[in-house]
Amino acid sequence: MATPAAEHRVDVALVAALLRDQHPDLADRPLRVVASGWDNVVVRAGDDLAVRLPRRAAAARLVAHEQRWLPDIAARVGGVVAVPEPVRTGRPALGYPWTWSVVPWLPGRPAGERPQGEAVARTLAAFLDRLHVPAPADAPVNPVRAVPLATRTDAVLTRLATADVPRAAELAALWRTAAGAPTHTGPPVWVHGDLHPFNLLVQRQPLGDEHLSAVVDFGDVTSGDPAVDLATRWLTFDRAGRRAFAALVPADAATWTRARGWAVSLASALAVTDDDAFRTTAAAAIDAVLDD
């Protein structure tokens, strides 16, 4: 699955013009494109800020969700890890059609560069303990995340039928078991929705251990079943980290079964991308969810 083509070109010249137009006090900062992902382009602005702009229309709605809800979420999870709460917002202008955000620059490297251990597991469990609380009635609803697993069966099994997903027959059997597990019966809770390890930032502490410093990319934030976030157990951690994470998360057996299903869904999606790092993470997650 190739990264979708950009529907609007986002470059340093555009960001400089938008800042001059709407936030002139930031316009003289040095600008550098640091990421161009599935949905957004991130441009670093000086040492402490970044500008996050949708590169296609589907992402514009997700940025609006972040602008509306991240201040509330940041207040809830503050003291555990940093999140990219917008400090400024931008409007469509100068031919650019969507809203955009100025956010803090959060240092660290992606946790997906290698499997993470117990220290990161403890902090991520504490973050989810604060995040997974009943969401308000007007919270966003994502049609493909935190929903009953059975609604995703056609999409997942179609993906597993490709030649790109290792151990696909075993994953299909695990998926069918997970999709048949009891559904979430509690109130819909806040979930990140896309808690794979490339949306987690880690930093090395003075004594040498890595710690979780930030959780980023809340575009898929939604209300629903917390099991989708718990899939990170197999996507992010080594064996010791997986065991520490499971011991600290108060989930019942049915929730963990659904979480395994979400791990199948997310890992198979990463496996069919054109990103080598994503495919490497997917292969490790597939072995973990099937063997541990």
Side-chain angles (χ1 to χ4, degrees), residues 17 51 77 85 88 95 102-103 112 132 137 156 189 198 205 207 212 236-237 242 262:
V51 187
V77 304
E85 177 186 0
R88 308 273 186 97
V102 180
V103 301
H132 287 172
V156 171
V189 301
F198 292 93
Q205 295 177 316
L207 296 179
L212 181 66
T236 300
F237 300 115
R242 290 194 294 273
W262 280 112

Side-chain angles (χ1 to χ4, degrees), residues 192 194-200 217 232 235-236 266 270 278:
H192 179 280
D194 197 24
L195 206 61
H196 65 68
F198 292 93
N199 285 335
L200 307 173
D217 196 349
T232 201
L235 293 163
T236 300
L266 296 171
L270 294 175
F278 282 5

Side-chain angles (χ1 to χ4, degrees), residues 61-140:
R61 175 177 56 87
L62 308 183
V63 167
H65 289 165
E66 292 180 331
Q67 292 175 346
R68 167 66 181 88
W69 293 108
L70 262 177
D72 294 344
I73 290 170
R76 177 168 296 281
V77 304
V80 179
V81 295
V83 299
E85 177 186 0
V87 297
R88 308 273 186 97
T89 60
R91 63 182 184 278
L94 307 177
Y96 181 73
W98 305 305
T99 58
W100 47 280
S101 301
V102 180
V103 301
W105 174 257
L106 300 175
R109 64 174 185 83
E113 291 182 3
R114 69 177 183 85
Q116 299 298 314
E118 296 180 47
V120 173
R122 287 193 294 270
T123 306
L124 189 58
F127 164 80
L128 292 177
D129 182 62
R130 295 197 183 189
L131 178 66
H132 287 172
V133 298
D138 58 341

Side-chain angles (χ1 to χ4, degrees), residues 61 65 68-69 135-142 190 219-224:
R61 175 177 56 87
H65 289 165
R68 167 66 181 88
W69 293 108
D138 58 341
V141 176
N142 189 313
W190 277 121
D220 283 315
V221 68
T222 187
S223 60

Side-chain angles (χ1 to χ4, degrees), residues 2-68:
T3 302
E7 296 169 12
H8 197 287
R9 178 178 173 81
V10 176
D11 56 19
V12 164
L14 172 65
V15 174
L18 288 170
L19 289 174
R20 283 195 300 270
D21 180 59
Q22 299 178 40
H23 300 287
D25 59 314
L26 304 179
D28 293 333
R29 287 173 170 247
L31 302 175
R32 177 168 59 94
V33 175
V34 293
S36 182
W38 195 268
D39 289 328
N40 300 285
V41 176
V42 178
V43 176
R44 189 167 183 178
D47 292 332
D48 60 336
L49 295 175
V51 187
R52 179 171 162 84
L53 306 94
R55 59 191 291 278
R56 58 195 191 107
R61 175 177 56 87
L62 308 183
V63 167
H65 289 165
E66 292 180 331
Q67 292 175 346
R68 167 66 181 88

Side-chain angles (χ1 to χ4, degrees), residues 260-273:
R260 283 186 182 270
W262 280 112
V264 172
S265 176
L266 296 171
S268 62
L270 294 175
V272 300
T273 68

